[in-house]
C-alpha cells in the first residue's frame, strides 16, 4: 500500500506542472478576415500583436488580442470582386527596432510588393527595389512574399 501510494503521489507531483499549463483556448471574437497567415507579438510589449490576413491585410491589437484594428494605410494591393480585399501573406517585426515591420503581398491583383512600416503599422511604404522577375504579365506571374528574415545585426539586410 505504501509503495502504490508513493508512486501515485510521485505521478501527481510530476503531472501538476502540466495541468497548470494545460489551458483551453478562449475565443475573443478576433479580427474579421478569412485566411490568417502570421501572428506576431511585439518583443517589447506583449500586449501588442499583429495578424496578417489574405482578405483584411494587417490587423493590430494593443490589448493582447481582445480587439483588432486594420492597419493598411499605404498598402495598395487591393483585389477581389469589390476591390476591398488586402492580400497580405506575411509580417515580420524587426528585432532591432520593433516599431519597424515588414509585410508581403502577392501579385494576383496586378500589383505586388513588400511593404515597410517604421511606426508600428500606422502607415506603410512599398519597397520593390531589387526584386527581379518579369511582371509585365500578371496573369502568368504569381509572386507571393510569404516570409522575411532580418539580419540580427544589420536591419538594412532583409
Amino acid at each position: 500500500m505504501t509503495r502504490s501510494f508513493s508512486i501515485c503521489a510521485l505521478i501527481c507531483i510530476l503531472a501538476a506542472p502540466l495541468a497548470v499549463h494545460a489551458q483551453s483556448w478562449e475565443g475573443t471574437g478576433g479580427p474579421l478576415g478569412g485566411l490568417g497567415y502570421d501572428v506576431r507579438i511585439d518583443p517589447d510589449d506583449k500586449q501588442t500583436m499583429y495578424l496578417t490576413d489574405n482578405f483584411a491585410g494587417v490587423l493590430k491589437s494593443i490589448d493582447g488580442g481582445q480587439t483588432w484594428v486594420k492597419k493598411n494605410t499605404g498598402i495598395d494591393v487591393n483585389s477581389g470582386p469589390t476591390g476591398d480585399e488586402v492580400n497580405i501573406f506575411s509580417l515580420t517585426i524587426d528585432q532591432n527596432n520593433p516599431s519597424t515591420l515588414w509585410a508581403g503581398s502577392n501579385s494576383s491583383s496586378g500589383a505586388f510588393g513588400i511593404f515597410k512600416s517604421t511606426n508600428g503599422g500606422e502607415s506603410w511604404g512599398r519597397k520593390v527595389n531589387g526584386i527581379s522577375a518579369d511582371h509585365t504579365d500578371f496573369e502568368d506571374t504569381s509572386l507571393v512574399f510569404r516570409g522575411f528574415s532580418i539580419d540580427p545585426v544589420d536591419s538594412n539586410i532583409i
Side-chain angles (χ1 to χ4, degrees):
M1 180 90 142
T2 303
R3 184 170 180 203
S4 78
F5 176 75
S6 298
I7 292 171
C8 181
L10 178 62
I11 290 171
C12 289
I13 290 169
L14 292 176
L18 296 175
V20 170
H21 295 291
Q23 298 177 4
S24 61
W25 287 91
E26 177 185 334
T28 63
L32 296 177
L35 296 172
Y37 287 97
D38 282 339
V39 175
R40 300 288 183 243
I41 300 172
D42 185 315
D44 293 342
D45 177 5
K46 304 297 185 209
Q47 293 295 303
T48 300
M49 304 167 67
Y50 301 91
L51 175 92
T52 63
D53 183 80
N54 186 35
F55 302 117
V58 176
L59 297 117
K60 181 178 182 178
S61 173
I62 58 171
D63 57 12
Q66 293 297 311
T67 59
W68 295 88
V69 177
K70 289 183 183 181
K71 295 294 182 178
N72 297 320
T73 301
I75 298 176
D76 57 356
V77 290
N78 297 354
S79 66
T82 59
D84 62 351
E85 294 176 8
V86 182
N87 304 122
I88 298 296
F89 292 90
S90 60
L91 185 131
T92 297
I93 299 174
D94 184 341
Q95 65 270 22
N96 300 311
N97 182 359
S99 64
T100 299
L101 311 171
W102 293 87
S105 68
N106 71 350
S107 62
S108 67
S109 62
F112 70 95
I114 295 172
F115 296 88
K116 180 181 181 183
S117 173
T118 57
N119 56 10
E122 295 303 314
S123 62
W124 297 87
R126 183 190 298 268
K127 304 294 180 187
V128 294
N129 252 2
I131 300 172
S132 60
D134 179 16
H135 298 291
T136 57
D137 181 7
F138 286 100
E139 297 297 322
D140 297 330
T141 303
S142 181
L143 183 60
V144 180
F145 296 96
R146 298 221 184 244
F148 297 94
S149 294
I150 301 170
D151 187 289
V153 177
D154 185 354
S155 295
N156 293 313
I157 300 173
I158 308 300

